[in-house]
Amino acid sequence: MKRGTKPSTIARQPWYSRLRSESGQSLLETAIILPIVLIISVSIFEFGRMYQHIQILTNAAREGARLSVLPATSSNDVKTRVKEYMQDGALGNYAAATVNVDQNVSITVGGGTATGSLVTVNYPFSFMVLNPVARLVATGSDLGKGVLTLTAHAEMRNELQ
């Protein structure tokens, strides 16, 4: 050490007092909290995306039911219209969706019954970020490998009754 310079304060402290130092506390707090905040943020994004898909499926089923109640409409016409709506709604895997059309369903209208059409859409949905994160956290398990099936129904009374 040069003459006239003071030794550093840390070097003069005993070793046990250095353990109580708060110099890395904020870094440690950030390291603990940051992953939690990121997972919450990504979860908000992912569940918002799932909600958007549910809305598109519901509207596609409703659009199919509107077409299905018209006279001389085949179930293939309805399925095509539903798939087109899902494609226009920018659902990436719309071809994997299943569309079921029943044009002879008994529905209650007022005090009586009538025939109606029921359109059911099933769509396989998987999370973009949460599934890979779940596989990282639980290595070797089936967590994060599954696909959610989103389902939407629409029922309307047939015309000309």
Side-chain angles (χ1 to χ4, degrees), residues 57 60-65 68 75-86 94-102 118-124 152:
L57 292 176
R62 196 174 297 134
E63 189 70 24
S68 180
S75 62
N76 286 334
D77 295 337
V78 174
K79 289 177 183 180
T80 302
R81 180 64 193 125
V82 169
K83 296 268 182 149
E84 286 173 356
Y85 192 94
M86 292 185 338
Y94 69 92
T98 59
V99 181
N100 298 320
V101 180
D102 188 357
L118 174 66
V119 177
T120 305
V121 182
N122 296 315
Y123 179 78

Side-chain angles (χ1 to χ4, degrees), residues 28 33 48 74 78 85 101 105 107 111-112 134 148 152 154:
L28 182 63
I33 296 299
S74 71
V78 174
Y85 192 94
V101 180
V105 175
I107 60 173
L148 295 174

Side-chain angles (χ1 to χ4, degrees), residues 1-2 5 22 28 37 40 50 60 62 75 82 108 116 125 131-132 140 143-144 147 153:
M1 189 185 308
K2 289 186 180 180
T5 60
E22 297 180 6
L28 182 63
V37 170
I40 290 171
M50 184 175 76
R62 196 174 297 134
S75 62
V82 169
T108 304
F125 177 82
N131 280 348
L143 185 66
V147 174
H153 305 280

Side-chain angles (χ1 to χ4, degrees), residues 23-38:
S23 61
Q25 177 183 357
S26 60
L27 180 64
L28 182 63
E29 288 174 357
T30 302
I32 291 171
I33 296 299
L34 187 62
I36 295 169
V37 170
L38 288 175

Side-chain angles (χ1 to χ4, degrees), residues 106-114 157:
S106 179
I107 60 173
T108 304
V109 179
T113 60
R157 189 176 111 189

